[in-house]
């Protein structure tokens, strides 16, 4: 392999390198059908929606092609398909077509209806559940040791979940480690009783969905014949081969490897349809399956008034309860046809995807920091030597130059800034995750007690990883995708400290080399977002609503009385020693912002009323797409160019944007004409109503796609969840608007200034300011900005008072990629997130969430610029950790 990297640091390992001449030659691309450069042309024609996107989650779900969908929709437009349980002409057409699809599925797996039956299910999980419930288990009893259910620990959750069915009927479940089965294979056959016919079931994956390792298909026959025993128990062994991950990129020959049960999901193979899978059952095992429930279409005859039921003779009809998803089944034909036409078959896909995976593995393994430390830690049981032992999946964690793991959530957020789609976590495979990451059973329990659950973003607990990062390739993946991903790793890990990568040959791995139909130029996808319209200041010109064009307004011209709650909420005397005051003067509020429309531009004020959900009208509205799904700047950066203004006197919100006429939305809710609709914000259900066709048309014109403005119903109360490990004070229950987490977000100017200094460093051309302080502060979309004396001192606070209002500090705001969007232009720049990630070392935190401790709204309450801020330290923060000037013992109001 080309070990050296050019001085510029922008060279990637050669794609076609010094492979072992004796190694089988692998194929890249498909080489026919579209002429020279066929793969790029295939991508442009069939997957145009991927332009500028690097999709590397094919193990999660691969993508459908355009011609596949067109062929299927044309079929539906040209033919009438009725319910296959009816007897009319259209129904007969459906029945016959479905049967043809069954044959096509069997042919795809190199078998016939003489050997296997196809039972359609909603997916591989439903197929596994069917086997668990229908297998002829024998319960343990004084007379019998009972059946055994064994499964490889490197199995999907849906396989492990079968044990709950067996446990309920007193059948023993035994997890088997891969290394134990490999050892048993080496030892050879153990003593068995050929006369014992107790039925046992062994489940294992053809390919690990965690690491991509491919387990021997020879195990099927070895276990069935008794030459290999998962456990030392006499009896008759059946084998379930979980093929869902394997068959997405490889051929499976069931004539050679005759597993008894084979669950699959079709969207893993060609992306569409979803929600459809199958259980392939060997006909010798099918008669043993027992079924209790019977649904429509499964009965030859039954009585409603008596216990009389005769099942259909066909195994498929007996187990397919109700009407199958027959249109989705018909779609499978077009999926198989298109896959064959575009690639020439699964063997070509197997070679192509492995070539990309092998090259990526070698390149990743060779990346080193200047001190020689590895950039990534790859979790694998193979050296990516051949597609027989390894699939196109790479599982890894990113390391810093000290060898510490960087949390997967942080990596995923950075990847999204490069428009790279990958997957993180444990991938529904806790067994493999524990084994590769060294997570003990006790650690899993402790992590759960700490709040970590499957699928969340708690990637590090006490410095130890709870999951990892996975990339996977599909038949339409290209060398450009791989190099864009590698460039992302290099840019974010090696360029960030001013150094470029040092590539070293991976001693134990042969380099991938294959003929390339594409240019080997490095490809970095453009991920800059849409061009700006105009900065916010320009969007305000010609307002007519106020006397000046500034976004900062004193929105309450007549000062009503400030609520008097200080007498009932004095700071407890025992906490007085923890109250801080800066040596250069008191802490005060310097800026106040509200965001009337979620993800749209800020509205800066100097004094603003407070409601029970936070600043009045903060995040009361949001923009949704045609499906009613909330839009954020992650999907639509131009939201920041929508500038809302609230006029409390005229009771209107005026919305402006470059190139659009201003439009008004009333602040009053017309309860008689509003139709309440259900929507979601951060997994919470909220009641909302549509603000009308006029504003909908305005937004749709601006964004160039259907959009609506909706508002949270005033009759709906959304309660804050208990988060951040904070107990709510007695008698308090925070209510939220359409915010993500909490009522208020506070940031510290000193923290902004520290980040500003880190970002605007000198380069070889001298000082160059990339970000202004104002620009940075807007990116963090805070409600309250204070003039703190030390960076991140706010993270040590437990409570604060602002004027006469008192707040509990809930915890830090875990930042996402939205901070990389310039709030005045809508353009993306990943440096902010990257620099913050480096400087904070662990979680990318910035700003603190606040909530009211209690609030008396019997008289108007206001937050104002210039109000004094009195923080109370957390109890575990000692004064000697602070500068002497900040060890202030007196409480000052």
């Amino acid at each position: 392999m080309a070990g050296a990297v050019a001085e510029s640091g922008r060279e990637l390992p050669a794609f076609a390198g010094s492979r072992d001449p004796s190694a089988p030659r692998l194929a890249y691309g498909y080489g026919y059908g579209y002429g020279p450069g066929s793969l790029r042309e295939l991508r442009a024609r069939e997957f145009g929606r991927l332009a500028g996107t690097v999709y590397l989650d094919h193990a999660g779900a691969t993508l459908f092609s355009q011609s596949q969908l067109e062929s299927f929709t044309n079929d539906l437009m040209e033919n009438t398909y009725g319910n296959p349980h009816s007897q009319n002409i259209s129904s007969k057409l459906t029945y016959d077509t479905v049967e043809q699809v069954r044959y096509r599925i069997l042919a795809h797996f190199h078998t016939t209806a003489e050997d296997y039956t196809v039972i359609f299910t909603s997916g591989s999980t439903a197929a596994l559940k069917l086997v668990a419930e229908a297998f002829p288990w024998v319960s343990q009893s004084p007379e019998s040791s009972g059946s055994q259910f064994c499964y490889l620990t490197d199995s999907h959750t849906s396989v492990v979940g079968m044990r709950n069915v067996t446990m309920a009927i007193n059948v023993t479940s035994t997890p088997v480690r891969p290394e134990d089965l490999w050892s048993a294979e080496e030892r050879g056959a153990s003593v068995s009783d050929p006369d014992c016919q107790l039925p046992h079931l062994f489940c294992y994956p053809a390919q690990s969905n965690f690491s991509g390792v491919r387990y021997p298909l020879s195990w099927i026959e070895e276990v069935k014949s008794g030459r290999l025993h998962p456990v030392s128990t006499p009896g008759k062994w059946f084998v379930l081969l979980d093929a869902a991950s394997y068959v997405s990129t490889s051929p499976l020959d069931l004539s050679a490897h005759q597993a008894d049960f084979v669950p699959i999901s079709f969207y893993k193979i060609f992306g569409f349809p979803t929600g459809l899978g199958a259980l392939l059952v060997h006909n010798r095992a099918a008669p043993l399956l027992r079924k209790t429930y019977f649904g429509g279409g499964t009965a030859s005859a039954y009585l409603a008034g008596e216990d009389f039921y005769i099942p259909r003779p066909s195994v498929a009809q007996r187990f397919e309860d109700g009407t199958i998803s027959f249109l989705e089944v018909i779609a499978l034909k077009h999926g198989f046809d298109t896959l064959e036409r575009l690639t020439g078959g699964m063997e070509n896909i197997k070679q192509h995807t492995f070539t990309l995976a092998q090259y990526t593995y070698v390149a990743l393994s060779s990346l080193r920091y200047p001190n020689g430390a590895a950039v990534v830690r790859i979790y694998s049981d193979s050296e990516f030597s051949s597609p027989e032992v390894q699939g196109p999946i790479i599982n890894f964690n990113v390391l810093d130059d000290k060898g510490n793991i960087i949390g997967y959530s942080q990596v995923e957020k950075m990847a999204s800034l490069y428009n790279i789609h990958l997957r993180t976590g444990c991938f529904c495979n806790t067994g493999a995750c524990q084994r590769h990451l060294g997570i003990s059973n006790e650690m899993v329990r402790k992590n759960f007690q700490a709040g970590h659950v499957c699928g969340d973003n708690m990637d590090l607990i006490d410095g130890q990883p709870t999951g990892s990062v996975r990339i996977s390739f599909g038949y339409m993946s290209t060398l450009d995708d791989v190099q864009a991903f590698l460039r992302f790793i290099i840019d974010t890990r090696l360029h960030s400290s001013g150094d470029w990568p040092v590539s070293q040959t991976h001693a134990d791995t042969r380099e991938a080399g294959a003929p390339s139909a594409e240019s080997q130029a490095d490809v970095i996808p453009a991920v800059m977002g849409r061009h700006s319209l105009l900065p916010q200041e320009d969007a305000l010109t010609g307002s007519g609503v106020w006397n000046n064009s500034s976004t900062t307004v004193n929105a309450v011209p007549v000062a009503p009385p400030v609520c008097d709650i200080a007498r009932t909420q004095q700071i407890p005397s025992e906490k007085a020693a923890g109250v801080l005051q800066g040596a250069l003067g008191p802490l005060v509020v310097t800026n106040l912002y509200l965001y009337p429309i979620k993800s749209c531009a800020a509205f800066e004020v100097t004094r603003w009323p407070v409601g029970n959900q936070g600043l009045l009208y903060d995040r009361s509205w949001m923009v949704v797409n045609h499906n009613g799904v909330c839009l954020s700047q992650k999907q639509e950066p131009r939201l920041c160019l929508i500038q809302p203004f609230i006029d409390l006197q005229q009771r209107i919100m005026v919305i402006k944007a470059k190139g659009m006429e201003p439009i008004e939305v009333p602040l009053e809710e017309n309860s008689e004409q509003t139709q309440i609709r259900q929507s979601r914000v951060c997994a919470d259900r909220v009641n909302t109503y549509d603000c009308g066709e006029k504003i909908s048309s305005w937004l749709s014109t601006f964004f160039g796609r259907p959009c609506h403005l909706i508002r949270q119903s005033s009759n709906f109360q959304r309660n804050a969840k208990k988060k951040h490990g904070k107990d709510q004070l007695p008698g308090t229950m925070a209510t939220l608007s359409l915010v993500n987490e909490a009522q208020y977000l506070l940031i510290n100017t000193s923290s902004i200034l520290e980040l500003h200094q880190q970002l605007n460093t000198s380069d070889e051309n001298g000082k160059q300011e990339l970000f202004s302080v104002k620009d940075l502060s807007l990116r963090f979309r805070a409600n309250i900005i204070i003039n703190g004396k030390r960076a991140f001192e706010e993270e040590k606070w437990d409570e604060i008072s602002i004027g006469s209002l008192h707040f509990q500090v809930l915890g830090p705001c875990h930042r996402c990629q939205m901070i990389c969007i310039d709030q005045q232009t809508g353009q993306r720049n990943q440096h902010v997130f990257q620099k913050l990630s480096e400087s904070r070392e662990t979680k990318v935190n910035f700003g603190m969430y606040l909530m009211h401790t209690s609030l008396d709204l019997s008289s108007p309450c206001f937050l104002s610029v210039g109000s004094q801020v009195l923080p109370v330290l957390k109890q575990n923060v000692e004064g000697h950790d602070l500068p002497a000037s900040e060890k202030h013992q007196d409480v000052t109001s």
Side-chain angles (χ1 to χ4, degrees):
M1 170 178 173
V5 173
E7 187 175 349
S8 68
R10 293 189 179 274
E11 299 297 327
L12 292 172
F15 183 61
S18 55
R19 277 184 54 79
D20 183 348
S22 64
R25 192 172 184 82
L26 298 174
Y28 172 77
Y30 305 107
Y32 71 94
Y34 286 97
S38 62
L39 192 54
R40 275 196 175 141
E41 193 169 344
L42 182 152
R43 273 282 287 262
R45 181 177 303 187
E46 298 285 352
F47 302 93
R49 63 190 184 278
L50 285 179
T53 297
V54 179
Y55 185 84
L56 298 176
D57 188 25
H58 294 274
T62 197
L63 305 174
F64 61 83
S65 66
Q66 181 173 324
S67 60
Q68 172 190 349
L69 206 58
E70 289 173 347
S71 177
F72 172 53
T73 54
N74 288 338
D75 188 347
L76 296 185
M77 297 300 293
E78 295 169 2
N79 295 283
T80 302
Y81 293 108
N83 189 317
H85 291 167
S86 300
Q87 299 301 315
N88 57 58
I89 296 176
S90 60
S91 299
K92 185 66 164 60
L93 175 63
T94 302
Y95 177 84
D96 291 342
T97 306
V98 166
E99 294 309 300
Q100 285 299 123
V101 173
R102 292 189 205 270
Y103 299 148
R104 183 64 181 274
I105 293 170
L106 293 173
H108 182 80
F109 294 109
H110 304 278
T111 187
T112 66
E114 279 69 42
D115 290 327
Y116 279 89
T117 295
V118 177
I119 301 173
F120 287 115
T121 65
S122 62
S124 58
T125 294
L128 291 164
K129 183 171 179 283
L130 188 158
V131 174
E133 294 174 341
F135 189 79
W137 306 108
V138 174
S139 300
Q140 192 173 10
S141 67
E143 296 79 26
S144 172
S145 59
S147 297
Q148 284 271 353
F149 169 54
C150 295
Y151 57 91
L152 209 65
T153 53
D154 186 358
S155 287
H156 194 276
T157 303
S158 300
V159 171
V160 181
M162 296 170 69
R163 73 184 181 198
N164 276 24
V165 176
T166 63
M167 287 168 59
I169 57 174
N170 201 25
V171 168
T172 303
S173 297
T174 305
V176 181
R177 300 184 306 167
E179 50 268 38
D180 292 340
L181 206 58
W182 281 320
S183 299
E185 187 178 24
E186 293 174 0
R187 290 195 304 268
S190 58
V191 179
S192 62
D193 181 1
D195 295 327
C196 181
Q197 294 297 304
L198 271 176
H200 309 303
L201 180 65
F202 174 57
C203 301
Y204 80 98
Q207 173 178 292
S208 168
N209 73 313
F210 183 91
S211 66
V213 65
R214 288 179 169 168
Y215 293 104
L217 296 178
S218 59
W219 283 357
I220 298 171
E221 183 56 33
E222 289 177 15
V223 170
K224 287 167 59 66
S225 65
R227 296 195 302 271
L228 178 63
H229 282 236
V231 294
S232 298
T233 301
K236 182 178 178 60
W237 283 92
F238 295 83
V239 176
L240 183 152
L241 181 73
D242 181 4
S245 179
Y246 181 88
V247 300
S248 61
T249 55
S250 285
L252 175 61
D253 188 348
L254 290 180
S255 67
H257 308 289
Q258 297 189 356
D260 297 289
F261 310 102
V262 183
I264 56 175
S265 288
F266 292 107
Y267 74 95
K268 301 276 189 181
I269 304 175
F270 29 69
F272 178 87
T274 58
L276 181 65
L279 177 66
L280 277 59
V281 183
H282 199 286
N283 290 338
R284 64 170 171 257
L288 301 177
L289 297 180
R290 303 174 300 193
K291 190 166 183 285
T292 304
Y293 172 82
F294 65 93
T298 65
S300 291
Y302 76 96
L303 289 175
E306 293 183 17
D307 184 10
F308 174 75
Y309 161 68
I310 304 297
R312 294 269 186 181
S314 163
V315 175
Q317 290 179 332
R318 191 158 70 244
F319 282 91
E320 290 172 353
D321 292 305
T323 302
I324 62 173
S325 301
F326 56 88
L327 294 182
E328 283 73 17
V329 171
I330 292 170
L332 298 180
K333 171 189 180 299
H334 302 279
F336 286 120
D337 288 347
T338 303
L339 204 65
E340 184 73 26
R341 176 173 55 83
L342 295 179
T343 69
M346 295 304 297
E347 183 62 34
N348 291 341
I349 294 174
K350 170 184 171 182
Q351 299 292 328
H352 167 74
T353 54
F354 177 76
T355 299
L356 292 176
Q358 188 185 54
Y359 168 67
T360 308
Y361 171 78
V362 173
L364 279 178
S365 301
S366 70
L367 290 179
R368 295 289 187 273
Y369 287 102
N371 65 0
V375 174
V376 302
R377 179 179 299 157
I378 297 176
Y379 305 110
S380 176
D381 288 310
S382 83
E383 291 293 333
F384 285 70
S385 57
S386 82
E388 307 308 319
V389 298
Q390 179 66 44
I393 293 174
I394 302 176
N395 196 303
F396 63 96
N397 267 316
V398 179
L399 311 175
D400 64 16
D401 58 1
K402 300 179 183 65
N404 300 314
I405 289 177
I406 297 168
Y408 61 74
S409 178
Q410 189 169 327
V411 176
E412 184 173 41
K413 290 173 182 176
M414 281 302 302
S416 69
L417 295 173
Y418 286 75
N419 221 5
I420 295 174
H421 301 191
L422 41 73
R423 185 162 173 176
T424 59
C426 269
F427 322 103
C428 295
N429 191 333
T430 298
C433 192
Q434 285 187 255
R435 176 170 170 260
H436 285 285
L437 274 64
I439 303 173
S440 68
N441 292 347
E442 183 60 27
M443 290 170 66
V444 171
R445 294 186 178 96
K446 287 184 177 179
N447 291 346
F448 176 74
Q449 292 298 322
H452 172 58
V453 296
C454 294
D456 67 13
N457 292 324
M458 291 184 66
D459 47 17
L460 294 173
I461 297 179
D462 297 330
Q464 299 301 310
T466 62
S468 55
V469 182
R470 186 186 73 184
I471 60 172
S472 50
F473 302 99
Y475 76 85
M476 74 295 298
S477 297
T478 67
L479 177 61
D480 292 346
D481 293 332
V482 171
Q483 293 186 328
F485 167 74
L486 293 173
R487 190 61 72 193
F488 153 69
I489 296 294
I490 291 170
D491 286 351
T492 55
R493 296 314 311 160
L494 296 164
H495 295 187
S496 57
S497 59
D499 296 310
W500 293 86
V502 179
S503 180
Q504 300 176 357
T505 302
H506 186 64
D508 299 324
T509 306
R510 295 176 179 175
E511 181 189 3
S516 173
E518 303 180 73
S519 165
Q520 294 193 22
D522 295 342
V523 177
I524 303 178
V527 200
M528 288 301 296
R530 303 178 185 272
H531 290 293
S532 65
L533 299 179
L534 268 186
Q536 295 173 357
E537 296 93 300
D538 295 338
L540 295 172
T541 305
S543 165
V545 180
W546 298 274
N547 294 329
N548 58 63
S549 59
S550 172
T551 58
T552 306
V553 298
N554 185 343
V556 188
V558 179
V562 177
C563 59
D564 184 11
I565 59 175
R567 288 190 299 272
T568 61
Q569 288 195 318
Q570 296 293 332
I571 299 174
S573 59
E574 61 270 19
K575 291 187 178 181
V579 178
L580 306 178
Q581 182 173 330
L584 302 179
L587 301 177
V588 296
V589 175
T590 60
N591 302 86
L592 282 175
Y593 296 96
L594 61 148
Y595 306 83
I597 306 176
K598 186 176 177 66
S599 255
C600 289
F603 177 46
E604 186 172 10
V605 297
T606 57
R607 191 164 184 265
W608 196 255
V610 169
N612 61 0
Q613 296 177 337
L615 291 171
L616 193 62
Y617 300 119
D618 183 42
R619 276 97 168 184
S620 290
W621 293 264
M622 66 182 180
V623 180
V624 298
N625 67 9
H626 62 291
N627 290 323
V629 176
C630 174
L631 293 180
S632 74
Q633 291 184 27
K634 296 177 189 178
Q635 302 90 25
E636 183 51 85
R638 291 179 297 168
L639 280 164
C640 69
L641 304 176
I642 301 291
Q643 176 67 67
F645 304 90
I646 290 183
D647 189 326
L648 294 177
Q649 291 182 322
Q650 298 189 44
R651 307 296 298 160
I652 58 171
M653 176 172 64
V654 179
I655 306 174
K656 296 186 175 186
K658 172 67 176 178
M660 304 290 292
E661 289 293 324
I663 187 170
E664 297 180 0
V665 175
L667 298 182
E668 300 297 336
E669 179 179 324
N670 188 341
S671 58
E672 295 181 357
Q673 298 181 4
T674 58
Q675 181 178 354
I676 300 300
R677 299 180 179 181
Q678 302 286 310
S679 190
R680 290 178 69 84
V681 173
C682 291
D684 289 343
R685 178 185 61 84
V686 293
N687 285 356
T688 63
Y689 66 89
D690 196 297
C691 294
E693 286 301 320
K694 186 177 179 182
I695 182 61
S696 173
S697 176
W698 190 94
L699 290 168
S700 301
T701 300
F702 180 78
F703 291 115
R705 54 173 169 159
C707 295
H708 296 267
L709 183 70
I710 65 175
R711 182 179 181 181
Q712 184 172 350
S713 171
S714 59
N715 297 323
F716 179 79
Q717 179 171 302
R718 178 187 172 214
N719 294 324
K721 299 175 183 176
K722 180 183 175 182
K723 294 184 178 180
H724 311 287
K726 301 287 288 190
D727 292 323
Q728 292 180 342
L729 297 181
T732 65
M733 175 59 74
T735 59
L736 303 179
S737 60
L738 300 176
V739 295
N740 286 353
E741 297 258 2
Q743 294 170 334
Y744 299 89
L745 179 63
L746 176 146
I747 62 174
N748 177 359
T749 302
S750 293
S751 305
I752 289 284
L753 290 174
E754 180 173 292
L755 179 61
H756 178 261
Q757 182 179 11
Q758 293 168 348
L759 285 166
N760 297 309
T761 55
S762 298
D763 58 20
E764 59 185 5
N765 299 318
K767 190 72 175 177
Q768 180 182 13
E769 182 171 278
L770 301 176
F771 304 93
S772 68
V773 175
K774 181 73 170 179
D775 170 32
L776 284 178
S777 64
L778 288 174
R779 288 170 183 254
F780 291 102
R781 299 178 64 81
N783 298 111
I784 304 168
I785 301 181
I786 63 168
N787 65 336
K789 307 309 178 200
R790 296 192 309 138
F792 303 108
E793 63 179 307
E794 63 275 15
E795 295 183 354
K796 299 180 180 180
W797 298 346
D798 189 58
E799 299 175 19
I800 65 168
S801 297
I802 303 178
S804 58
L805 295 171
H806 296 265
F807 303 89
Q808 184 180 16
V809 179
L810 298 181
C813 175
H814 303 315
R815 290 298 177 172
C816 68
Q817 56 270 37
M818 267 183 62
I819 64 174
C820 294
I821 299 173
D822 187 328
Q823 295 299 296
Q824 299 189 66
T825 66
Q827 291 185 337
R828 284 191 177 102
N829 185 313
Q830 64 267 24
H831 293 109
V832 177
F833 189 93
Q834 186 173 337
K835 181 58 66 177
L836 191 61
S837 171
E838 295 167 12
S839 63
R840 302 315 309 277
E841 294 183 352
T842 53
K843 283 290 187 181
V844 186
N845 296 336
F846 201 97
M848 303 299 289
Y849 286 124
L850 310 178
M851 65 168 276
H852 298 125
T853 54
S854 65
L855 189 64
D856 181 6
L857 292 176
S858 59
S859 59
C861 299
F862 294 83
L863 275 174
S864 302
V865 170
S867 296
Q868 187 171 359
V869 178
L870 294 175
V872 177
L873 282 175
K874 296 178 181 177
Q875 292 182 356
N876 60 348
V877 178
E878 297 183 4
H880 59 72
D881 293 331
L882 303 171
S885 61
E886 295 192 7
K887 298 178 185 177
H888 192 79
Q889 301 297 311
D890 298 325
V891 180
T892 308
S893 63

